[in-house]
Coordinates of all heavy atoms in Angstrom, one line a residue:
M5 N -77.9 36.0 253.2 CA -77.2 34.9 252.5 C -76.0 34.5 253.3 O -75.3 35.4 253.8 CB -76.8 35.3 251.1 CG -78.0 35.4 250.2 SD -77.6 35.6 248.4 CE -76.3 36.6 248.2
N6 N -75.7 33.2 253.3 CA -74.5 32.7 254.0 C -73.6 32.2 253.0 O -73.9 31.5 252.1 CB -74.9 31.5 254.9 CG -75.1 32.0 256.4 OD1 -74.7 33.1 256.7 ND2 -75.8 31.2 257.1
Y7 N -72.3 32.6 253.2 CA -71.3 32.0 252.3 C -70.3 31.3 253.2 O -69.9 31.7 254.2 CB -70.5 33.2 251.6 CG -71.3 33.8 250.5 CD1 -72.0 35.0 250.7 CD2 -71.5 33.2 249.2 CE1 -72.8 35.6 249.7 CE2 -72.2 33.8 248.2 CZ -72.9 35.0 248.5 OH -73.6 35.5 247.5
S8 N -69.9 30.2 252.7 CA -68.9 29.4 253.4 C -67.7 29.0 252.5 O -68.0 28.6 251.4 CB -69.6 28.1 254.0 OG -68.6 27.3 254.6
T9 N -66.6 29.2 253.0 CA -65.4 28.8 252.2 C -64.6 27.8 253.1 O -64.5 28.0 254.3 CB -64.5 30.0 251.8 OG1 -64.1 30.6 253.0 CG2 -65.3 30.9 250.9
T10 N -64.0 26.9 252.4 CA -63.2 25.9 253.1 C -61.8 25.9 252.4 O -61.8 25.7 251.2 CB -63.8 24.5 253.1 OG1 -65.1 24.6 253.6 CG2 -63.0 23.5 253.9
T11 N -60.8 26.0 253.2 CA -59.4 25.9 252.6 C -58.7 24.7 253.2 O -58.7 24.5 254.4 CB -58.6 27.2 253.0 OG1 -59.4 28.3 252.6 CG2 -57.3 27.2 252.3
H12 N -58.2 23.9 252.3 CA -57.5 22.7 252.7 C -56.0 23.0 252.4 O -55.6 23.1 251.3 CB -57.9 21.5 251.9 CG -59.4 21.1 252.2 ND1 -59.8 20.5 253.3 CD2 -60.5 21.3 251.5 CE1 -61.1 20.3 253.3 NE2 -61.5 20.8 252.2
T13 N -55.2 23.0 253.4 CA -53.8 23.2 253.3 C -52.9 22.1 253.7 O -51.7 22.1 253.6 CB -53.3 24.5 254.1 OG1 -53.6 24.2 255.5 CG2 -54.0 25.7 253.6
T14 N -53.5 21.0 254.1 CA -52.7 19.9 254.7 C -51.9 19.2 253.6 O -50.8 18.8 253.8 CB -53.6 18.8 255.3 OG1 -54.6 18.4 254.4 CG2 -54.3 19.4 256.6
G15 N -52.3 19.1 252.3 CA -51.6 18.4 251.3 C -50.6 19.3 250.6 O -49.7 18.7 250.0
H16 N -50.6 20.6 250.7 CA -49.7 21.4 250.0 C -48.2 21.2 250.5 O -47.3 21.3 249.6 CB -50.1 22.9 250.1 CG -51.4 23.2 249.4 ND1 -51.6 23.0 248.1 CD2 -52.6 23.5 249.9 CE1 -52.8 23.3 247.8 NE2 -53.5 23.6 248.9
G17 N -48.0 21.1 251.7 CA -46.7 20.9 252.2 C -46.1 19.6 251.8 O -44.9 19.5 251.4
L18 N -46.9 18.6 251.7 CA -46.5 17.3 251.2 C -46.1 17.3 249.7 O -45.1 16.8 249.3 CB -47.6 16.2 251.5 CG -47.3 14.8 250.9 CD1 -46.0 14.2 251.6 CD2 -48.5 13.9 251.2
I19 N -46.9 18.0 249.0 CA -46.7 18.1 247.5 C -45.4 18.9 247.3 O -44.6 18.5 246.5 CB -47.8 18.9 246.8 CG1 -49.1 18.0 246.8 CG2 -47.5 19.3 245.4 CD1 -50.3 18.6 246.4
A20 N -45.1 19.9 248.1 CA -43.9 20.7 247.9 C -42.7 19.8 248.3 O -41.7 19.9 247.6 CB -43.9 21.9 248.8
R21 N -42.8 19.0 249.3 CA -41.7 18.1 249.7 C -41.5 17.1 248.6 O -40.3 16.7 248.3 CB -42.0 17.5 251.0 CG -41.7 18.4 252.2 CD -41.8 17.7 253.5 NE -43.0 18.3 254.1 CZ -43.9 17.7 254.9 NH1 -43.8 16.4 255.1 NH2 -44.9 18.3 255.4
L22 N -42.5 16.5 248.1 CA -42.4 15.5 247.0 C -41.7 16.1 245.8 O -40.9 15.5 245.1 CB -43.7 14.9 246.7 CG -44.3 14.0 247.7 CD1 -45.7 13.5 247.3 CD2 -43.4 12.8 248.0
K23 N -42.1 17.3 245.4 CA -41.5 18.0 244.3 C -40.0 18.2 244.6 O -39.1 18.1 243.7 CB -42.1 19.3 244.0 CG -43.5 19.2 243.3 CD -44.1 20.5 243.0 CE -45.4 20.4 242.3 NZ -46.0 21.7 242.1
G24 N -39.6 18.6 245.8 CA -38.3 18.8 246.2 C -37.5 17.5 246.1 O -36.3 17.4 245.6
L25 N -38.1 16.4 246.5 CA -37.4 15.1 246.4 C -37.2 14.6 245.0 O -36.2 14.0 244.6 CB -38.2 14.0 247.2 CG -38.2 14.1 248.7 CD1 -39.1 13.1 249.4 CD2 -36.7 14.0 249.3
A26 N -38.2 14.9 244.2 CA -38.1 14.5 242.8 C -37.0 15.3 242.0 O -36.4 14.8 241.1 CB -39.5 14.7 242.1
S27 N -36.8 16.5 242.5 CA -35.8 17.4 241.8 C -34.4 17.0 242.3 O -33.4 17.4 241.6 CB -36.1 18.8 242.0 OG -35.9 19.2 243.3
F28 N -34.2 16.4 243.4 CA -32.9 16.1 243.9 C -32.1 15.2 243.0 O -30.9 15.6 242.7 CB -33.0 15.4 245.3 CG -31.7 15.0 245.9 CD1 -30.8 16.0 246.4 CD2 -31.3 13.7 245.9 CE1 -29.6 15.6 246.9 CE2 -30.0 13.3 246.4 CZ -29.2 14.3 246.9
P29 N -32.6 14.1 242.5 CA -31.8 13.3 241.5 C -31.4 14.1 240.3 O -30.4 14.0 239.7 CB -32.7 12.1 241.1 CG -33.6 12.0 242.3 CD -33.9 13.4 242.8
L30 N -32.3 15.0 239.8 CA -32.1 15.8 238.6 C -31.0 16.8 238.9 O -30.1 17.0 238.1 CB -33.4 16.5 238.2 CG -33.4 17.2 236.9 CD1 -33.0 16.2 235.8 CD2 -34.7 17.8 236.6
A31 N -31.0 17.4 240.1 CA -30.0 18.4 240.5 C -28.6 17.6 240.6 O -27.6 18.2 240.2 CB -30.3 19.0 241.8
T32 N -28.6 16.4 241.1 CA -27.4 15.6 241.2 C -26.9 15.3 239.9 O -25.6 15.4 239.6 CB -27.7 14.3 242.0 OG1 -28.2 14.7 243.3 CG2 -26.4 13.5 242.2
L33 N -27.7 15.0 239.0 CA -27.3 14.7 237.6 C -26.7 15.9 236.9 O -25.7 15.8 236.3 CB -28.5 14.2 236.8 CG -28.2 13.9 235.3 CD1 -27.2 12.7 235.2 CD2 -29.5 13.5 234.6
F34 N -27.3 17.1 237.1 CA -26.8 18.3 236.5 C -25.4 18.7 237.1 O -24.5 19.1 236.4 CB -27.7 19.5 236.7 CG -29.0 19.5 235.8 CD1 -30.2 19.8 236.3 CD2 -28.8 19.1 234.5 CE1 -31.3 19.8 235.5 CE2 -29.9 19.0 233.7 CZ -31.2 19.4 234.1
A35 N -25.3 18.5 238.4 CA -24.0 18.8 239.0 C -22.9 17.8 238.5 O -21.8 18.3 238.2 CB -24.1 18.7 240.6
W36 N -23.2 16.6 238.4 CA -22.3 15.6 237.9 C -21.9 15.9 236.5 O -20.7 15.9 236.1 CB -22.8 14.2 237.9 CG -22.0 13.2 237.2 CD1 -20.9 12.5 237.7 CD2 -22.0 12.8 235.8 NE1 -20.3 11.7 236.8 CE2 -21.0 11.9 235.6 CE3 -22.9 13.1 234.8 CZ2 -20.8 11.3 234.4 CZ3 -22.7 12.5 233.6 CH2 -21.6 11.6 233.4
N37 N -22.9 16.3 235.6 CA -22.6 16.6 234.2 C -21.7 17.9 234.1 O -20.8 17.9 233.3 CB -23.9 16.9 233.5 CG -23.7 17.0 232.0 OD1 -23.0 16.2 231.4 ND2 -24.2 18.1 231.4
E38 N -21.9 18.9 235.0 CA -21.1 20.1 235.0 C -19.7 19.8 235.4 O -18.7 20.2 234.7 CB -21.7 21.1 235.9 CG -21.0 22.5 235.8 CD -21.7 23.5 236.6 OE1 -23.0 23.5 236.7 OE2 -21.0 24.3 237.2
K39 N -19.5 18.9 236.4 CA -18.1 18.5 236.8 C -17.5 17.7 235.7 O -16.3 17.9 235.4 CB -18.2 17.7 238.1 CG -18.5 18.5 239.3 CD -18.5 17.6 240.5 CE -18.9 18.4 241.8 NZ -19.0 17.5 242.9
N40 N -18.2 16.9 235.0 CA -17.6 16.0 234.0 C -17.2 16.9 232.8 O -16.1 16.7 232.2 CB -18.7 15.0 233.5 CG -18.0 13.9 232.7 OD1 -17.0 13.4 233.0 ND2 -18.7 13.6 231.6
Q41 N -18.0 17.9 232.4 CA -17.6 18.8 231.3 C -16.4 19.6 231.7 O -15.5 19.8 230.8 CB -18.8 19.7 231.0 CG -19.9 19.0 230.3 CD -21.1 19.9 229.9 OE1 -21.2 21.0 230.5 NE2 -22.0 19.5 229.1
T42 N -16.3 20.1 232.9 CA -15.2 20.8 233.4 C -13.9 20.0 233.3 O -12.9 20.4 232.8 CB -15.4 21.4 234.8 OG1 -16.6 22.2 234.8 CG2 -14.2 22.2 235.3
R43 N -14.0 18.7 233.8 CA -12.9 17.8 233.8 C -12.4 17.6 232.3 O -11.2 17.7 232.0 CB -13.2 16.5 234.4 CG -12.1 15.5 234.5 CD -12.5 14.2 235.1 NE -13.7 13.6 234.4 CZ -13.6 12.9 233.2 NH1 -12.4 12.8 232.6 NH2 -14.6 12.4 232.6
K44 N -13.3 17.4 231.4 CA -13.0 17.2 230.0 C -12.3 18.4 229.4 O -11.3 18.3 228.7 CB -14.2 16.8 229.2 CG -14.7 15.4 229.4 CD -15.9 15.1 228.5 CE -16.4 13.7 228.7 NZ -17.5 13.4 227.8
A45 N -12.9 19.6 229.7 CA -12.3 20.8 229.2 C -10.9 21.0 229.7 O -10.0 21.4 228.9 CB -13.2 22.0 229.6
L46 N -10.6 20.7 231.0 CA -9.3 20.9 231.5 C -8.3 19.9 230.9 O -7.2 20.2 230.6 CB -9.3 20.7 233.0 CG -9.9 21.9 233.8 CD1 -10.1 21.5 235.3 CD2 -9.1 23.2 233.6
N47 N -8.8 18.6 230.7 CA -8.0 17.6 230.0 C -7.6 18.0 228.6 O -6.6 17.5 228.1 CB -8.6 16.2 230.1 CG -8.4 15.6 231.4 OD1 -7.3 15.6 232.0 ND2 -9.4 14.9 232.0
N48 N -8.5 18.8 228.0 CA -8.2 19.2 226.6 C -7.2 20.3 226.4 O -6.8 20.6 225.3 CB -9.5 19.5 225.9 CG -10.3 18.3 225.5 OD1 -9.8 17.2 225.3 ND2 -11.6 18.4 225.5
L49 N -6.9 20.9 227.6 CA -5.9 22.0 227.5 C -4.5 21.5 227.4 O -4.2 20.4 227.8 CB -6.0 22.9 228.8 CG -7.3 23.7 229.1 CD1 -7.2 24.4 230.4 CD2 -7.6 24.6 227.9
S50 N -3.7 22.3 226.8 CA -2.3 21.9 226.6 C -1.6 22.1 228.0 O -2.1 22.7 228.9 CB -1.6 22.8 225.6 OG -1.4 24.1 226.1
T51 N -0.4 21.5 228.1 CA 0.4 21.6 229.3 C 0.7 23.1 229.6 O 0.6 23.5 230.8 CB 1.7 20.8 229.3 OG1 1.3 19.4 229.0 CG2 2.5 20.9 230.5
R52 N 1.0 23.8 228.6 CA 1.3 25.2 228.7 C 0.1 26.0 229.3 O 0.2 26.9 230.1 CB 1.8 25.8 227.4 CG 1.9 27.3 227.3 CD 3.2 27.7 228.1 NE 3.2 29.2 228.0 CZ 3.8 29.9 228.9 NH1 4.4 29.4 229.9 NH2 3.8 31.2 228.7
Q53 N -1.1 25.7 228.7 CA -2.3 26.4 229.1 C -2.6 26.0 230.6 O -3.1 26.9 231.3 CB -3.5 26.0 228.2 CG -3.4 26.5 226.8 CD -4.4 25.9 225.9 OE1 -4.7 24.7 225.9 NE2 -5.0 26.8 225.1
L54 N -2.4 24.8 231.0 CA -2.6 24.4 232.4 C -1.7 25.2 233.3 O -2.1 25.7 234.4 CB -2.5 22.9 232.6 CG -3.6 22.0 232.0 CD1 -3.2 20.6 232.1 CD2 -4.9 22.3 232.7
E55 N -0.4 25.3 232.9 CA 0.6 26.0 233.7 C 0.1 27.5 233.8 O 0.3 28.1 234.9 CB 1.9 26.0 233.0 CG 2.6 24.6 233.2 CD 3.9 24.5 232.4 OE1 4.3 25.5 231.7 OE2 4.5 23.4 232.5
D56 N -0.4 28.1 232.8 CA -0.9 29.5 232.8 C -2.0 29.7 233.9 O -2.1 30.8 234.4 CB -1.5 29.9 231.5 CG -0.4 30.2 230.4 OD1 0.8 30.3 230.8 OD2 -0.7 30.3 229.2
I57 N -2.8 28.7 234.2 CA -3.8 28.8 235.2 C -3.4 28.2 236.5 O -4.2 28.0 237.4 CB -5.2 28.3 234.7 CG1 -5.1 26.8 234.3 CG2 -5.7 29.1 233.6 CD1 -6.5 26.2 234.0
G58 N -2.1 27.8 236.6 CA -1.6 27.3 237.8 C -1.9 25.8 238.1 O -2.0 25.4 239.3
L59 N -2.1 25.0 237.1 CA -2.4 23.6 237.3 C -1.4 22.7 236.5 O -0.8 23.2 235.6 CB -3.8 23.3 236.8 CG -5.0 23.9 237.5 CD1 -6.3 23.6 236.7 CD2 -5.1 23.5 238.9
C60 N -1.4 21.5 236.9 CA -0.7 20.4 236.2 C -1.7 19.3 235.9 O -2.8 19.3 236.5 CB 0.6 20.0 236.9 SG 0.3 19.0 238.4
R61 N -1.3 18.4 235.1 CA -2.3 17.3 234.8 C -2.7 16.5 236.0 O -3.9 16.1 236.1 CB -1.6 16.3 233.8 CG -1.3 16.9 232.5 CD -2.1 16.3 231.3 NE -1.9 17.2 230.2 CZ -2.8 17.9 229.6 NH1 -4.1 17.9 230.1 NH2 -2.6 18.6 228.6
G62 N -1.8 16.3 236.9 CA -2.2 15.5 238.1 C -3.2 16.3 239.0 O -4.0 15.6 239.7
D63 N -3.2 17.6 238.9 CA -4.2 18.3 239.7 C -5.6 18.1 239.2 O -6.6 18.1 240.0 CB -3.9 19.8 239.6 CG -2.6 20.2 240.2 OD1 -2.2 19.5 241.1 OD2 -2.1 21.3 239.8
I64 N -5.8 17.8 237.9 CA -7.2 17.6 237.4 C -7.8 16.4 238.0 O -8.9 16.5 238.5 CB -7.1 17.4 235.8 CG1 -6.6 18.7 235.2 CG2 -8.5 17.1 235.3 CD1 -6.3 18.6 233.7
D65 N -7.1 15.3 238.1 CA -7.7 14.1 238.7 C -7.9 14.3 240.2 O -9.0 13.9 240.7 CB -6.7 12.9 238.5 CG -6.6 12.5 237.0 OD1 -7.6 12.7 236.3 OD2 -5.6 11.9 236.7
D66 N -7.0 15.0 240.9 CA -7.2 15.3 242.3 C -8.5 16.1 242.6 O -9.1 15.9 243.6 CB -6.0 15.9 242.9 CG -4.8 15.0 242.9 OD1 -5.0 13.8 242.8 OD2 -3.6 15.5 243.1
M67 N -8.7 17.1 241.7 CA -9.9 18.0 241.9 C -11.2 17.2 241.8 O -12.2 17.6 242.5 CB -9.9 19.0 240.8 CG -8.8 20.1 240.9 SD -8.6 21.2 239.5 CE -10.2 21.6 239.1
F68 N -11.3 16.1 241.1 CA -12.5 15.5 240.9 C -12.7 14.1 241.6 O -13.5 13.3 241.3 CB -12.8 15.3 239.4 CG -13.0 16.7 238.7 CD1 -11.9 17.2 238.0 CD2 -14.1 17.4 238.8 CE1 -12.0 18.5 237.4 CE2 -14.3 18.6 238.2 CZ -13.2 19.2 237.5
R69 N -11.9 13.9 242.6 CA -12.0 12.7 243.4 C -12.8 13.0 244.6 O -12.9 14.0 245.1 CB -10.6 12.2 243.8 CG -9.9 11.5 242.7 CD -8.7 10.8 243.2 NE -8.0 10.3 242.0 CZ -6.7 10.2 241.9 NH1 -5.9 10.5 242.9 NH2 -6.2 9.7 240.8

């Protein structure tokens, strides 16, 4: 008996690259959202709380430019 197997690997690299490209906008969105939440949380702190962590209000805007 003869058995023959064929393995096609040419498309797998392309599929992996396409999945990577598709996840890039999603990763960018997650990063933006995390920065936005951090900025909001810092803006919600009192001046005293900001001083305790070594920041002032102007530092918050500078951090996210």
Side-chain angles (χ1 to χ4, degrees):
M5 288 193 323
N6 265 342
Y7 288 99
S8 175
T9 59
T10 305
T11 306
H12 297 282
T13 58
T14 55
H16 295 295
L18 177 61
I19 292 170
R21 279 185 250 143
L22 289 175
K23 285 182 180 178
L25 288 175
S27 68
F28 179 73
L30 192 57
T32 303
L33 178 63
F34 284 142
W36 173 84
N37 188 48
E38 187 173 321
K39 287 180 183 179
N40 194 45
Q41 287 180 346
T42 302
R43 183 184 54 79
K44 283 182 180 182
L46 289 171
N47 277 320
N48 286 331
L49 295 177
S50 69
T51 302
R52 173 73 180 153
Q53 290 170 319
L54 287 172
E55 288 173 358
D56 285 345
I57 59 173
L59 296 174
C60 68
R61 296 246 171 246
D63 293 336
I64 297 170
D65 293 333
D66 292 341
M67 288 171 43
F68 296 98
R69 283 191 187 148

